[in-house]
Amino acid sequence: MKYIQVLLSLLVPFAASAEVKPVVERSPVFRFKSIPAPSSSDAATQAKFTVVDGQPDGNGGGLVQLNDGKAPAGEDQPRANFFFSAGTDGGRIAADLGRLVDIKEINTFSIHRDTRAPQVYEVYGRAEVAPEVTSKKGTDPVQAGWKLIAKVDTRAQDEEPGGAHGVSIANAASTIGKYRHLLFDISRTESEDAFGNTFFSEIDVVDATAPAIARSETPAVSEPRIIEAAGGQYRFILDTSSAPDLAEWAEKELGPVVQKWYPTIVGMLPSPGYDAPKRVMITFTDELGGTPAAAAGSKVMCNTEWFRKNLTGEARGAVVHELVHVVQQYGRGRRNRESKPTPGWITEGIPDYIRWFLYEPETRGAEINKRNLADARYDASYRVTGNFLNWVLATYDKEIITKLNAAAREGRYEEELWKKLTGKTVQELGDEWKQGHVTRLAATTGEKQPVN
């Protein structure tokens, strides 16, 4: 199956000239259909890049990443990209090519698993030496003598933001123009959280008069598996490019679980006006350290080494847990100006309730026993909270999970909600739940169990 690639024409109608048009291409991995790979011998290779406004993020790899001719191998490699600091609205980067260049193309590349993947910028050019003051944010580059070359916005309303984004700015009839200096006025891609500044991987400038330039080799990848669920309503991309040995397992063993349980989870966790992500990326990666799996937006990341060791054990259940996070989308609650943060034990307890009590109850993975009773608290998170939620559901309110989820997604979770739904505070419920386990274990073992 070919890579899913969306070749888009210019996403904004304005350009400096009717002939200069950016072409945007997106792909799940860093390989494009028509946009060439980053170059290690283009006119920008020896250029001097300077941040003239904005704060570079210290977690990034610095400006050197913009003209090293290399493409990151994965979606979350901060050190292989340049980006501005979290919480800021982009910045401006100047490039001095060192000489006057008749520019054929300006190509820009970015990659991330979420909203740091799209590119939103304007690029300007000057032939003569450019005073640095004219490059500052808040000044109009055109009024200061710069010429607008193009505006770029790779965001798409009907697509998830993550993946690799490539942009090629060119003039079909001629060249872009002769410039020595370029100015990139970069904006963040979203303002709902602090992480909207693009991971820029490379900026190439192609000289129309130079010999053919060298292209870097893109990382070797295996084609992702594409599976669908609910009659094509949901699409899942299984990316095992970093772990080809897991490709067959992902397709034959994990795929059916995802196809069945993602629509099930969506049905369990509704709220008015909300549609769960319809395109989900499941990627195997070596970038998670000791974390087995994680989710961000519509992406699920699986720790390659951990999964290799747990294919016949907890691997599939771990993905079910992360799929719940994809459906939860509690970050939407921040749109409510009066929103209250949802505690982490709720955020993690609901996925573990679904995992341990619905997906794999036979494993008894969330059981309270003699070994963990002393430390069992309703807000202990993960499987312990999952046990507590299962008890509240069975004892007081069969719809407690749906109601808690809707409140969290809408930014209106508060402790008083427990009293409204069950008639008791969450602390009272927690005490009753734990005392029930104490009584049960004492009856089973004949031993008196301590209560903390």
Side-chain angles (χ1 to χ4, degrees):
M1 183 179 292
K2 298 294 184 184
Y3 290 117
I4 296 178
Q5 294 173 315
V6 183
L7 183 60
L8 305 172
S9 60
L10 181 61
L11 295 178
V12 291
F14 182 91
S17 149
E19 306 300 329
V20 177
K21 293 184 178 180
V23 172
V24 175
E25 191 173 350
R26 297 174 58 183
S27 173
V29 293
F30 221 127
R31 182 176 293 173
F32 302 106
K33 182 177 181 180
S34 61
I35 295 176
S39 168
S40 57
S41 64
D42 62 287
T45 303
Q46 301 300 322
K48 179 182 179 182
F49 283 88
T50 306
V51 175
V52 293
D53 195 59
Q55 179 63 46
D57 197 302
N59 294 312
L63 290 171
V64 66
Q65 303 302 324
L66 298 179
N67 61 343
D68 63 355
K70 298 178 182 178
E75 290 184 326
D76 193 12
Q77 293 186 302
R79 303 300 297 178
N81 296 277
F82 170 87
F83 51 101
F84 288 103
S85 291
T88 65
D89 186 10
R92 287 183 174 180
I93 298 173
D96 181 354
L97 302 176
R99 59 185 174 85
L100 200 63
V101 176
D102 191 11
I103 299 177
K104 178 182 178 181
E105 298 173 8
I106 300 173
N107 300 328
T108 58
F109 303 87
S110 60
I111 188 168
H112 191 257
R113 61 175 177 250
D114 202 12
T115 55
R116 292 181 175 219
Q119 303 177 30
V120 181
Y121 68 85
E122 298 173 1
V123 58
Y124 301 82
R126 285 179 72 132
E128 72 280 8
V129 175
E132 188 172 300
V133 67
T134 67
S135 305
K136 295 290 186 180
K137 279 274 191 184
T139 63
D140 181 353
V142 173
Q143 293 296 321
W146 293 86
K147 181 179 179 181
L148 177 62
I149 296 174
K151 291 185 177 182
V152 171
D153 187 342
T154 72
R155 295 171 297 185
Q157 292 184 351
D158 58 346
E159 293 286 334
E160 295 297 327
H165 290 228
V167 177
S168 183
I169 302 170
N171 186 334
S174 181
T175 60
I176 290 175
K178 295 182 179 180
Y179 301 103
R180 172 175 173 172
H181 299 274
L182 296 176
L183 175 65
F184 295 86
D185 186 358
I186 299 168
S187 299
R188 61 188 175 190
T189 65
E190 52 88 13
S191 58
E192 291 185 6
D193 57 41
F195 306 105
N197 281 316
T198 303
F199 271 29
F200 280 97
S201 309
E202 182 79 7
I203 295 178
D204 286 348
V205 179
V206 180
D207 186 344
T209 64
I213 61 177
R215 299 292 181 183
S216 66
E217 291 293 327
T218 54
V221 294
S222 60
E223 294 186 356
R225 270 65 169 174
I226 311 299
I227 60 175
E228 295 182 343
Q233 183 177 359
Y234 303 108
R235 172 173 286 190
F236 308 93
I237 303 169
L238 305 178
D239 179 11
T240 57
S241 57
S242 67
D245 58 303
L246 296 180
E248 184 176 0
W249 177 86
E251 184 174 16
K252 295 183 178 180
E253 300 294 331
L254 180 61
V257 173
V258 172
Q259 287 174 307
K260 176 182 177 180
W261 279 91
Y262 187 78
T264 300
I265 295 165
V266 171
M268 288 181 56
L269 303 178
S271 62
Y274 172 73
D275 290 318
K278 291 181 169 52
R279 177 180 176 273
V280 179
M281 186 90 171
I282 301 175
T283 302
F284 289 81
T285 176
D286 297 321
E287 301 291 324
L288 292 180
T291 302
S298 61
K299 306 291 191 303
V300 173
M301 288 74 68
C302 304
N303 186 317
T304 301
E305 285 305 312
W306 186 89
F307 269 75
R308 286 189 178 118
K309 297 174 183 178
N310 291 276
L311 294 182
T312 59
E314 294 194 15
R316 283 166 289 192
V319 174
V320 170
H321 175 104
E322 302 305 331
L323 289 176
V324 179
H325 284 317
V326 171
V327 175
Q328 283 174 314
Q329 297 291 323
Y330 291 166
R332 290 169 57 91
R334 289 190 290 270
R335 300 176 185 178
N336 176 0
R337 293 184 178 180
E338 299 179 355
S339 67
K340 301 176 177 63
T342 300
W345 62 272
I346 291 285
T347 303
E348 298 296 347
I350 290 176
D352 260 18
Y353 159 74
I354 292 174
R355 173 185 178 177
W356 297 113
F357 289 92
L358 301 181
Y359 169 67
E360 50 182 336
E362 70 283 355
T363 65
R364 304 176 70 177
E367 185 177 79
I368 303 300
N369 51 43
K370 290 176 61 178
R371 292 188 302 276
N372 63 15
L373 176 63
D375 296 323
R377 288 177 47 87
Y378 70 88
D379 59 356
S381 196
Y382 292 99
R383 63 186 74 197
V384 177
T385 292
N387 186 293
F388 168 70
L389 293 174
N390 180 66
W391 175 84
V392 176
L393 181 150
T395 308
Y396 285 95
D397 188 341
K398 294 181 179 180
E399 297 181 354
I400 192 70
I401 302 297
T402 300
K403 293 173 182 177
L404 288 173
N405 172 77
R409 184 182 288 143
E410 295 167 3
R412 54 181 180 82
Y413 173 85
E414 53 187 358
E415 279 200 2
E416 289 77 6
L417 186 62
W418 294 92
K419 185 81 171 180
K420 295 176 183 177
L421 297 177
T422 69
K424 294 186 177 182
T425 67
V426 68
Q427 290 82 10
E428 291 171 336
L429 292 168
D431 290 344
E432 184 179 343
W433 160 76
K434 185 165 184 177
Q435 184 57 52
H437 285 301
V438 171
T439 302
R440 173 181 60 83
L441 290 171
T444 302
T445 65
E447 300 178 9
K448 184 177 180 181
Q449 302 295 329
V451 181
N452 292 344

